[in-house]
C-alpha cells in the first residue's frame, strides 16, 4: 500500500508540537495542538503493519473524543479561509473512508464513506 504523510516540519508550521508519546525509533509519531482554556488535540500515527492513525481531544483532563483508524493511505493538511483540517484517507478491501479533523478554529470530526 502506498502511504503518504506530512513531514514533521509541516506539523510545526501548522502550530503543533511534539507530544510525549512521540517515539520515531519505535515508529510512533505523535503531535499536540494546545488551545486556550485547557484543551489539547493530539494526533498520533504509525506506519507499521496496519498503518494506524488516532486523534483525541482532551478538555480540562477529560477525554472528549478518541478515534482510531487502521489502513490509512494518506494524511494531509488542508486549509481555506480560517478553517484548518487534517484529512485522513483509508483503504480497506471493503470500503474507502475519508475523514477530516478540524483543528482550527474549533476541533471536530467529519466522516465520509465511499
Amino acid at each position: 500500500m502506498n502511504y503518504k504523510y506530512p513531514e514533521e516540519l509541516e506539523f510545526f508550521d501548522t502550530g503543533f508540537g511534539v507530544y510525549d508519546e512521540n517515539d520515531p525509533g519505535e515508529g510512533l509519531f505523535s503531535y499536540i495542538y494546545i488551545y486556550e482554556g485547557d484543551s489539547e488535540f493530539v494526533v498520533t500515527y504509525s506506519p507499521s503493519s496496519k498503518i494506524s492513525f488516532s486523534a483525541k481531544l482532551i478538555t480540562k483532563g477529560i477525554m472528549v473524543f478518541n478515534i482510531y483508524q487502521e489502513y490509512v493511505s494518506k494524511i494531509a493538511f488542508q486549509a481555506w479561509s480560517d478553517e484548518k483540517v487534517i484529512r485522513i484517507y483509508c483503504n480497506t478491501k471493503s470500503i474507502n473512508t475519508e475523514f477530516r479533523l478540524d483543528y482550527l478554529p474549533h476541533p471536530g470530526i467529519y466522516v465520509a464513506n465511499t
Side-chain angles (χ1 to χ4, degrees):
M1 177 186 295
N2 200 6
Y3 177 55
K4 297 179 183 174
Y5 54 92
E7 296 291 327
E8 186 171 64
L9 188 55
E10 285 185 76
F11 281 94
F12 297 155
D13 287 346
T14 54
F16 283 82
V18 175
Y19 189 57
D20 295 342
E21 296 174 358
N22 192 58
D23 190 352
E26 293 295 320
L28 189 66
F29 303 89
S30 191
Y31 301 93
I32 185 169
Y33 191 96
I34 299 174
Y35 299 92
E36 290 184 31
D38 296 325
S39 290
E40 303 172 338
F41 182 59
V42 178
V43 295
T44 304
Y45 65 92
S46 176
S48 65
S49 64
K50 292 187 180 177
I51 311 174
S52 64
F53 177 89
S54 69
K56 57 187 171 184
L57 177 64
I58 304 164
T59 300
K60 297 184 180 180
I62 298 171
M63 184 87 60
V64 176
F65 66 74
N66 186 5
I67 61 167
Y68 176 82
Q69 178 67 49
E70 294 178 340
Y71 305 107
V72 173
S73 58
K74 183 178 179 182
I75 302 169
F77 283 102
Q78 293 183 331
W80 50 93
S81 184
D82 63 344
E83 188 174 1
K84 296 187 189 310
V85 304
I86 300 172
R87 194 168 299 269
I88 312 300
Y89 301 89
C90 312
N91 295 314
T92 64
K93 292 179 182 178
S94 60
I95 193 166
N96 290 328
T97 301
E98 174 187 329
F99 62 96
R100 77 175 195 216
L101 301 163
D102 295 33
Y103 65 94
L104 282 178
H106 305 287
I109 302 170
Y110 175 78
V111 178
N113 291 329
T114 57

